[in-house]
């Protein structure tokens, strides 16, 4: 059976996403003891964030920042091992941006970032992006060495155990969305989902990957398996706020 819902190819983000994610990361990154302080984060806490384009952009910024936090130790090790850090042309105030953009670069398998039409260009993001591109081979090699050193099949090995256990619990939970009946009817949503290859089942216990159910107590709520979350949140139904994540 043909499926029309596909995995989203990772092409990077507009400049505003990186700069906002870096500002979030600056406020939440793990402070190291001064004795072991090798990567320095300057103080740019007073620098205002750019306005979020929409709720999807806000979600992506926080997701990117928290992914950088989750792998902070690994990303710092890659920067140091590759000799990409320190770089005297990059001030400490841009270290958060460097780490956030490095996370995204390795998440794209070190492929080039897509150029987004009509995006607002941010000079700092362009500077860091060009620098990381110039070090791409060394960074990829440093990541490979880290994985060999720790006998890690993937970077998930480097997630702290407490966070890994939390993510395992959360990832197993179905997620719910509201149908915004001011913009679309339940019937039209169901028709759209079926065109995209999803099948309606009676309950959560009947879930396969490309399935969903209507909540038994609230007919405006749909329930999906957790494995579909990333794909569904990139659909126009969410971008147009016809479906709202619970």
């Amino acid at each position: 059976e043909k499926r029309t819902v596909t995995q989203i190819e990772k092409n990077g983000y507009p400049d505003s996403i990186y700069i906002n994610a870096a500002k979030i990361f600056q406020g939440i990154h793990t402070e190291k003891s001064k004795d072991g302080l090798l990567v320095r984060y300057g103080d740019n806490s007073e620098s205002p964030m750019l306005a979020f384009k929409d709720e999807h952009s806000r979600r992506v910024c926080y997701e990117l920042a928290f992914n950088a936090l989750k792998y902070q130790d690994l990303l710092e090790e890659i920067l140091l091992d590759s000799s990409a850090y320190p770089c005297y042309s990059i001030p400490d105030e841009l270290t958060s941006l460097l780490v956030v953009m490095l996370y995204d670069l390795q998440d794209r398998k070190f492929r080039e970032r897509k150029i987004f039409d009509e995006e607002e260009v941010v000079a700092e993001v362009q500077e860091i992006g060009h620098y990381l591109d110039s070090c791409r081979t060394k960074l990829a090699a440093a990541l490979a060495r880290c994985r060999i050193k720790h006998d890690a099949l993937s970077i998930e090995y480097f997630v702290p155990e407490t966070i890994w256990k939390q993510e395992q619990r959360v990832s197993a939970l179905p997620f719910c969305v509201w149908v915004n009946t001011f913009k679309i009817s339940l019937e039209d949503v169901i028709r759209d989902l079926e065109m995209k290859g999803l099948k309606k089942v009676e309950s959560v216990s009947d879930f396969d990957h490309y399935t969903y159910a209507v909540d038994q107590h609230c007919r405006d709520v749909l329930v999906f398996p957790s494995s579909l979350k990333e794909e569904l949140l990139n659909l126009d139904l969410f971008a147009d706020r016809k479906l709202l994540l619970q």
Side-chain angles (χ1 to χ4, degrees):
E1 182 181 356
K2 184 179 179 181
R3 301 295 190 186
T4 55
V5 178
T6 57
Q7 289 290 338
I8 305 302
E9 183 178 352
K10 293 174 180 175
N11 295 315
Y13 304 102
D15 287 10
S16 60
I17 296 290
Y18 293 114
I19 203 73
N20 278 344
K23 292 178 189 302
I24 296 167
F25 178 76
Q26 177 69 20
I28 62 176
H29 73 274
T30 303
E31 292 286 352
K32 307 291 176 67
S33 65
K34 293 198 174 181
D35 293 338
L37 190 62
L38 296 174
V39 176
R40 298 180 300 275
Y41 297 86
D43 180 17
N44 58 2
S45 56
E46 296 182 1
S47 178
M49 295 178 68
L50 300 178
F52 293 111
K53 180 180 177 183
D54 49 34
E55 188 59 33
H56 173 72
S57 297
R58 180 192 298 272
R59 180 178 63 82
V60 169
C61 288
Y62 277 93
E63 183 178 303
L64 185 55
F66 276 93
N67 278 330
L69 175 65
K70 190 163 61 174
Y71 296 105
Q72 179 181 337
D73 288 346
L74 171 64
L75 296 170
E76 290 179 355
E77 187 174 347
I78 292 171
L79 287 171
L80 293 167
D81 183 64
S82 65
S83 299
Y85 183 92
C87 174
Y88 299 105
S89 66
I90 297 176
D92 292 349
E93 285 71 25
L94 292 183
T95 301
S96 286
L97 181 60
L98 181 67
V99 170
V100 164
M101 293 187 70
L102 174 57
Y103 170 79
D104 180 62
L105 179 61
Q106 68 76 33
D107 196 40
R108 301 195 314 268
K109 312 299 183 188
F110 296 93
R111 290 191 291 264
E112 289 188 10
R113 178 165 70 109
K114 173 185 173 183
I115 301 301
F116 291 84
D117 294 335
E118 301 178 0
E119 80 166 88
E120 180 182 352
V121 174
V122 179
E124 294 87 347
V125 173
Q126 295 292 314
E127 177 187 353
I128 298 297
H130 290 316
Y131 178 68
L132 288 173
D133 283 343
S134 71
C135 302
R136 192 182 310 177
T137 301
K138 293 192 296 183
L139 292 165
L143 173 58
R145 285 192 294 272
C146 288
R147 288 176 55 182
I148 293 170
K149 174 182 173 183
H150 296 281
D151 194 23
L153 294 175
S154 69
I155 69 166
E156 281 73 21
Y157 171 90
F158 297 94
V159 177
E161 185 177 2
T162 53
I163 296 178
W164 182 82
K165 288 181 177 179
Q166 290 173 355
E167 289 187 338
Q168 289 296 104
R169 288 195 292 268
V170 171
S171 66
L173 296 174
F175 69 100
C176 301
V177 302
W178 287 94
V179 178
N180 184 354
T181 53
F182 290 104
K183 291 193 170 187
I184 194 170
S185 68
L186 173 62
E187 292 73 22
D188 285 341
V189 169
I190 289 174
R191 188 178 304 112
D192 195 310
L193 293 174
E194 289 179 348
M195 288 177 62
K196 289 177 170 57
L198 280 86
K199 178 183 176 183
K200 180 182 174 184
V201 295
E202 290 302 314
S203 69
V204 172
S205 60
D206 299 320
F207 273 173
D208 189 2
H209 181 53
Y210 286 99
T211 50
Y212 68 96
V214 178
D215 188 273
Q216 297 178 0
H217 304 289
C218 184
R219 303 297 294 177
D220 293 340
V221 173
L222 302 178
V223 187
F224 295 90
S226 58
S227 56
L228 273 178
K229 190 170 186 178
E230 182 178 351
E231 296 178 56
L232 289 179
L233 290 176
N234 284 279
L235 295 179
D236 289 341
L237 288 169
F238 283 91
D240 297 337
R241 301 188 65 78
K242 293 176 180 178
L243 290 181
L244 306 173
L245 182 64
Q246 172 65 35

